[in-house]
């Protein structure tokens, strides 16, 4: 008989059958992920565990004190009254300075994403047919656009502006203004209706749009439309690419730290009407296939009374700029082709440059959000690599331990694929990004809000969950924003996914 098991004898048709039931090999059956979770829990709570013996000793000593000991302690304090008063004064002063100097919490009360009317939808066949009928593209360019669309991850229901639905297209300053008004006002009207905040109560306005910067500015258009107050602090960010939405949030955060008891509105959009490329340079045709109509409006507050109704609290903003490097600076570049037609050129080095910017960004973000256990593993691996084995692969921190949800800028399927691979994410972590790309296309700086709305519409946002919004943009920039849910977040009225969330997720072609 094997010492590691038990033997059972059974009879079948008069024949004895000896069966051996072995005990399981626990070293093989225990899933290593539980070992890793146990390690993380131990390290993360190490300080608390070290204090437990001290607390026990203190309680035991306190339980052994009698009335005589307490009277002696009181007399000791009476004879040292001046010392007690001075210490108390220092404690009160220090506590007051801490309260007054600490950053004020910034709350995200609500946000709204624009959803264009159905007549602006651009299915593949209509898009390609209109491109052919314009007469501006040769056969090679048309075939190139067809291949890009097939591999893009976009669905059949994305939107292009009104001017692009005419044959020939009618891009003009008036049409571009009309697109901007429809997107910005549509998102803002819904935001004000959902929050019951009056436009007159808005103290800070930040608008970002990279390629369309008319005079008066987009922010001035909003001030005029909603008759915002005369002392509003308004800003218009231009030319900052798809990551400008996070930059706008960071600017609004800094302003809310200075100006008390007010609201800030951040409007993020991109304008396509005057920025459609009508040439045949391949690297400039890609934006035509990816960028679509979209925009968002976000209401931020520094009022403590808004904590109860706010959806999220802003935890961190980390910004990375690689513009000092010439290749990074030119990898997304607006220019004219040989025929004098203006467009945005995308470099073949874009993904490599984005990877470098991401690496720098998460190196800064990691110590702020990762548990101490992950930081120790990263540090030890780095030491071993530097001192003992230079060929050793660097340890990739497990960001799934720091965040519950990921909103990766839906710039294209390649961007999402690379981040899923490099950050070792699961399909559900990039589902919101893929579905936002499929349903709305690349809506530039507002894409991370369509993704957050998807997570809410699916009912996945719980109180205490942390969200990582990460966006890439020209310059070249990589920016991150971290939010913490203050409640079990439900989708707002008239959300972008309200009429179609049950259809998602859909399977996208590889």
């Amino acid at each position: 008989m094997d010492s590691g098991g038990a033997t059972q004898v059974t009879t079948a048709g008069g024949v004895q059958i000896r069966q051996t039931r072995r005990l399981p090999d626990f070293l093989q059956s225990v899933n290593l992920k539980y070992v890793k979770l146990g390690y993380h829990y131990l390290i993360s709570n190490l300080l608390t565990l070290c204090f437990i013996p001290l607390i026990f000793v203190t309680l035991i000593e306190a339980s052994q004190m009698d009335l005589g000991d307490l009277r002696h302690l009181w007399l000791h304090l009476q004879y040292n009254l001046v010392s007690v008063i001075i210490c108390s004064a220092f404690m009160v002063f220090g506590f007051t300075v801490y309260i007054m100097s600490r950053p004020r919490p910034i709350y995200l009360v609500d946000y709204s994403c624009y959803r264009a009317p159905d007549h602006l939808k651009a299915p593949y066949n209509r898009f390609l047919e209109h491109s052919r009928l314009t007469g501006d593209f040769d056969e090679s360019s048309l075939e190139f656009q067809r291949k890009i669309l097939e591999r893009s991850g976009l669905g059949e229901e994305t939107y292009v502006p009104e001017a692009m639905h005419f044959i020939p297209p009618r891009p003009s300053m008036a049409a571009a203004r009309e697109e901007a008004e429809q997107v910005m006002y549509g998102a803002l009207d819904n935001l004000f209706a959902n929050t019951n905040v009056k436009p007159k109560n808005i103290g800070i306005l930040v608008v970002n749009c990279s390629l369309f910067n008319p005079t008066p500015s987009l922010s001035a258009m909003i001030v005029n439309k909603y008759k915002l107050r005369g002392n509003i602090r308004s800003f218009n960010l231009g030319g900052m690419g798809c990551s400008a939405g996070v930059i706008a949030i960071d600017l609004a955060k800094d302003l809310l730290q200075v100006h008390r008891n007010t609201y800030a509105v951040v409007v993020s959009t991109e304008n396509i009407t005057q920025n459609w490329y009508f040439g045949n340079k391949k690297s400039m045709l890609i934006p035509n296939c990816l960028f679509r109509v979209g925009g968002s409006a976000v209401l931020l507050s520094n009022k403590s009374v808004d904590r109860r109704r706010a959806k999220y609290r802003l935890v961190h903003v980390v910004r990375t700029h690689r513009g000092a490097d010439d290749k990074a600076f030119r990898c997304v570049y607006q220019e004219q082709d040989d025929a004098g037609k203006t467009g945005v050129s995308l470099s073949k080095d874009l993904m490599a440059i984005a990877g470098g910017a991401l690496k720098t960004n998460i190196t800064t973000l990691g110590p702020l959000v990762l548990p101490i256990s992950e930081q120790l593993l990263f540090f030890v691996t780095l030491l071993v690599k530097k001192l003992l084995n230079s060929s050793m692969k660097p340890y990739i921190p497990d960001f799934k331990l720091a965040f519950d949800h990921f909103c990766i800028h839906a710039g294209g399927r390649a961007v999402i694929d690379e981040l899923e691979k490099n950050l070792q994410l699961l399909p559900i972590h990039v589902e919101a990004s893929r579905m936002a790309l499929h349903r709305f296309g690349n809506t530039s700086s507002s894409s991370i809000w369509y993704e957050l709305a998807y997570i809410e519409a699916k009912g996945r946002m719980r109180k205490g969950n942390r969200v990582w919004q990460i966006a890439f943009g020209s310059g070249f920039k990589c920016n991150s924003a971290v939010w913490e849910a203050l409640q079990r977040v439900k989708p707002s009225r008239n959300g972008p996914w309200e009429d179609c969330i049950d259809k998602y997720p859909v399977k996208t072609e590889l």
Side-chain angles (χ1 to χ4, degrees), residues 58-89:
T58 304
L59 290 175
I60 291 172
E61 289 294 328
S63 65
Q64 294 176 352
M65 294 179 68
D66 55 20
L67 291 176
D69 295 325
L70 293 174
R71 190 179 299 110
H72 178 73
L73 179 61
W74 173 249
L75 290 173
H76 178 74
L77 291 175
Q78 281 184 319
Y79 287 120
N80 293 275
L81 184 60
V82 175
S83 300
V84 172
I85 292 175
I86 292 174
C87 289
S88 300

Side-chain angles (χ1 to χ4, degrees), residues 10 63 160 174 267 310 317 320 342 346 359 443:
T10 59
S63 65
V160 297
V267 178
V317 176
T320 300
T342 303
L346 303 183
K359 180 180 177 181
T443 57

Side-chain angles (χ1 to χ4, degrees), residues 436-458:
L437 180 65
H438 182 273
R439 177 62 182 85
F440 297 100
N442 180 349
T443 57
S444 190
S445 56
S446 64
S447 68
I448 53 179
W449 298 105
Y450 287 91
E451 295 160 19
L452 188 59
Y454 178 89
I455 296 169
E456 293 177 7
K458 281 294 183 182

